[in-house]
Amino acid sequence: MPGLLVHLVTLREEAAEQLAQQNRGERATDLHRRFTDWVPVHIRKSDGTVHC
């Protein structure tokens, strides 16, 4: 799953750059939602517990 997330973030940034070129520098505001918002985020604490 981490590899997929890295790939999607890369695609998101490429899309943002391309859209900014087409829209005179304006950045799209919903690209996070469209590309990576569905990915669950888990944070592992130093004691080994995982929080979502």
Side-chain angles (χ1 to χ4, degrees), residues 4-18:
L4 175 59
L5 182 57
V6 169
H7 180 67
L8 291 173
V9 169
T10 301
L11 292 175
R12 183 188 71 204
E13 293 305 310
E14 288 177 12
E17 185 177 316
Q18 291 173 9

